[in-house]
Amino acid sequence: DLAASKRYIDSANIWNGNTRNRVMAKTYLLLADWHEKNKQYDKAHAYLKRGGLIKDSLDTRIKQIEVMESQSRVEWARQQQQLDLLKSKEALQEKDIRIRNLVAGSALAGFAVAVILAFLFYRNYKRKRHDNQLLQEKNEEIECMLEEIRSFNDALKEQNEKIEQLNSSLEEDVKQRTEELGKTNRELNTFLYHASHDIRRPIATILGLDQVIRLSVKDSESLLIFDKVSETALSMDSMLFKLQMVHELSNTPAEFSALNLSYIIQETANRFDQQFKQYHVDYIQIQSEAITVQSDARFLRMIFQNLIENSILFRKTGPEKSWIKIALIRSEDKVIVTIEDNGRGIEQEHLSKVFDLYFRASELSNGNGLGLYLVKKAIDRLKGSVKIQSEYGSGTRFEIIL
């Protein structure tokens, strides 16, 4: 715990003040270690240097005392040698003078030794007393730290118990809300599916009435109004069909069976006969042979309906005749379906996003952003793939591999 350790080291640093002792040296070394742990290498180096200087200073004082002891011993030996030399020179003096000198020299040596021993004893006593005092202070600090740690552990234990209780309650809430959300989504999907079916019925009626009225009404202005009504109804029907497909893609499994692919494509294209005539679009299906695939008819219709609808929506306006070409090619165990038009095309910067949900490449687009998203999702459900090529202003080509 770097934060707690820093508070303890700072406290030790304050208590020591400017005292140059081993505890101060140790404190600085701990500060150096702490800053190194926090990657503050300049401060770590400064504290390491200060701690080292204090330690070196203390070691130097000890060495000085040891040198003084050594010098005293050397001085004593030197004086002893001088005394021996003096005795040898005064060997001829009287015996009592030699004895007095010997006694005086011995007394002097004994006094010197006594002084040295007394000094050493005093120094050792003072150092031990100081060490004992420091040890006692250190023990008191450690005891205080242990008490703080015990208090912190008790508080941490209490917090952990509260967190466990909150986690247990949170998991229960999440589980309950997840179940409620799942239920709501299922209800919403069911409502969406049934509502789209219910709304498509009156739209189909409107489109049928439009065909009946066109047989009896010949007024050009009235027919123009019915064209708009029919266009709006078809747009609504297409939107509701896509909503139904969203539900089916998300909630129903694919049902594979043997299907005539050409028939599925032609059946889907027939739904757009009125729009082909209204917007003067030529539909061309190129097929070299009958091709049967194992697939899901619902998803295939969804794919081709959205792609044909897109080609009509984004047809080129102008004197040039609009066309849509669909070709089928067998390749080993695959079938390649190409759908190509000469419409507006798509800018290169938008090609990577056209299959995203609700993406519209231009503000001028009158699509709803669902068509190509449904195409990609349906192809994925059929274990197929799709590629797109487009040149803005020239047309678009889709390649579907089943």
Side-chain angles (χ1 to χ4, degrees):
D1 188 340
L2 293 178
S5 64
K6 185 64 165 61
R7 291 197 299 272
Y8 298 144
I9 296 172
D10 287 341
S11 299
N13 193 22
I14 293 171
W15 292 337
N16 284 319
N18 294 323
T19 305
R20 296 172 64 84
N21 52 36
R22 292 185 181 276
V23 177
M24 174 59 79
K26 180 62 178 177
T27 300
Y28 283 154
L29 294 178
L30 287 174
L31 280 169
D33 186 46
W34 189 93
H35 285 290
E36 182 180 2
K37 289 283 190 301
N38 286 274
K39 303 186 182 304
Q40 299 174 0
Y41 298 112
D42 290 340
K43 291 184 178 181
H45 176 71
Y47 279 113
L48 183 63
K49 185 175 179 181
R50 290 170 67 180
L53 288 175
I54 294 176
K55 186 175 181 299
D56 292 342
S57 176
L58 294 173
D59 291 340
T60 300
R61 287 171 56 190
I62 293 171
K63 290 293 184 181
Q64 288 174 349
I65 293 172
E66 291 176 352
V67 169
M68 289 175 62
E69 293 174 0
S70 176
Q71 289 176 348
S72 298
R73 287 193 294 270
V74 170
E75 181 64 20
W76 181 81
R78 187 180 63 79
Q79 291 179 1
Q80 186 65 36
Q81 289 176 357
Q82 289 179 354
L83 182 59
D84 292 341
L85 180 60
L86 182 60
K87 287 190 295 182
S88 65
K89 288 182 179 180
E90 295 176 349
L92 298 176
Q93 293 181 356
E94 295 180 357
K95 185 177 181 179
D96 57 344
I97 296 175
R98 290 201 306 272
I99 292 172
R100 285 197 301 270
N101 289 337
L102 181 59
V103 171
S106 297
L108 180 61
F111 177 76
V113 171
V115 170
I116 292 172
L117 291 174
F119 172 75
L120 292 175
F121 177 78
Y122 175 74
R123 189 195 65 176
N124 188 52
Y125 168 76
K126 187 176 181 181
R127 186 173 60 185
K128 284 185 177 180
R129 188 177 67 177
H130 182 263
D131 289 345
N132 288 335
Q133 184 178 359
L134 291 178
L135 182 60
Q136 184 179 358
E137 292 176 356
K138 195 66 177 178
N139 287 335
E140 292 175 356
E141 293 175 11
I142 292 173
E143 186 63 31
C144 291
M145 292 179 183
L146 290 174
E147 184 63 29
E148 290 181 6
I149 291 172
R150 284 193 289 268
S151 299
F152 178 76
N153 285 338
D154 292 341
L156 184 61
K157 183 179 179 181
E158 183 179 351
Q159 291 295 327
N160 285 336
E161 291 175 354
K162 292 181 179 178
I163 290 172
E164 289 177 0
Q165 294 175 358
L166 290 174
N167 285 339
S168 177
S169 175
L170 181 61
E171 289 175 1
E172 187 65 28
D173 290 344
V174 170
K175 181 180 179 181
Q176 182 179 355
R177 292 182 182 182
T178 302
E179 292 175 354
E180 292 176 356
L181 182 61
K183 181 180 178 181
T184 302
N185 283 336
R186 289 191 295 272
E187 292 175 352
L188 182 61
N189 282 333
T190 303
F191 170 77
L192 178 66
Y193 182 74
H194 289 293
S196 58
H197 269 288
D198 293 341
I199 297 174
R200 287 190 74 188
R201 279 196 292 269
I203 290 177
T205 303
I206 292 174
L207 292 173
L209 291 173
D210 173 70
Q211 296 298 320
V212 172
I213 292 173
R214 287 176 186 275
L215 296 175
S216 58
V217 176
K218 303 300 181 182
D219 180 56
S220 59
E221 292 184 2
S222 299
L223 290 174
L224 182 61
I225 293 173
F226 284 117
D227 285 342
K228 295 298 182 182
V229 171
S230 175
E231 182 179 347
T232 302
L234 287 170
S235 177
M236 291 177 64
D237 184 66
S238 173
M239 184 62 190
L240 293 171
F241 173 77
K242 290 174 183 177
L243 292 177
Q244 290 178 13
M245 290 302 99
V246 169
H247 178 271
E248 291 191 11
L249 283 170
S250 302
N251 298 279
T252 61
E255 298 177 358
F256 290 87
S257 60
L259 300 171
N260 185 323
L261 188 58
S262 299
Y263 176 78
I264 294 291
I265 295 174
Q266 188 60 53
E267 179 190 36
T268 306
N270 290 340
R271 300 179 181 181
F272 295 93
D273 283 344
Q274 181 179 338
Q275 290 168 277
F276 290 150
K277 295 175 183 178
Q278 181 179 350
Y279 301 119
H280 308 292
V281 177
D282 287 339
Y283 170 74
I284 306 167
Q285 181 174 343
I286 304 170
Q287 180 186 357
S288 58
E289 57 180 317
I291 297 177
T292 301
V293 294
Q294 290 289 334
S295 191
D296 187 307
R298 298 169 303 161
F299 295 165
L300 289 176
R301 291 189 185 97
M302 184 191 316
I303 293 168
F304 298 127
Q305 178 166 330
N306 281 294
L307 290 176
I308 294 172
E309 182 185 44
N310 259 27
S311 294
I312 295 173
L313 284 174
F314 300 107
R315 66 191 178 279
K316 188 181 297 183
T317 57
E320 184 180 354
K321 183 75 171 179
S322 296
W323 50 260
I324 302 170
K325 296 179 182 178
I326 299 182
L328 285 74
I329 304 170
R330 183 193 302 275
S331 176
E332 298 179 354
D333 61 341
K334 298 182 178 64
V335 176
I336 301 174
V337 183
T338 61
I339 301 177
E340 187 176 1
D341 63 50
N342 65 338
R344 300 180 200 170
I346 305 169
E347 295 178 340
Q348 293 296 316
E349 62 190 68
H350 298 313
L351 285 180
S352 61
K353 304 176 183 178
V354 294
F355 295 111
D356 293 348
L357 181 62
Y358 298 128
F359 178 77
R360 300 171 68 182
S362 170
E363 293 298 329
L364 300 176
S365 171
N366 53 2
N368 49 43
L370 273 176
L372 293 183
Y373 166 77
L374 292 173
V375 168
K376 181 66 168 61
K377 195 166 184 179
I379 292 173
D380 290 342
R381 291 292 302 274
L382 297 176
K383 312 297 184 190
S385 62
V386 59
K387 299 178 183 177
I388 180 173
Q389 296 175 343
S390 184
E391 183 177 347
Y392 188 67
S394 298
T396 303
R397 182 178 187 272
F398 289 90
E399 181 181 280
I400 301 169
I401 301 175
L402 300 172

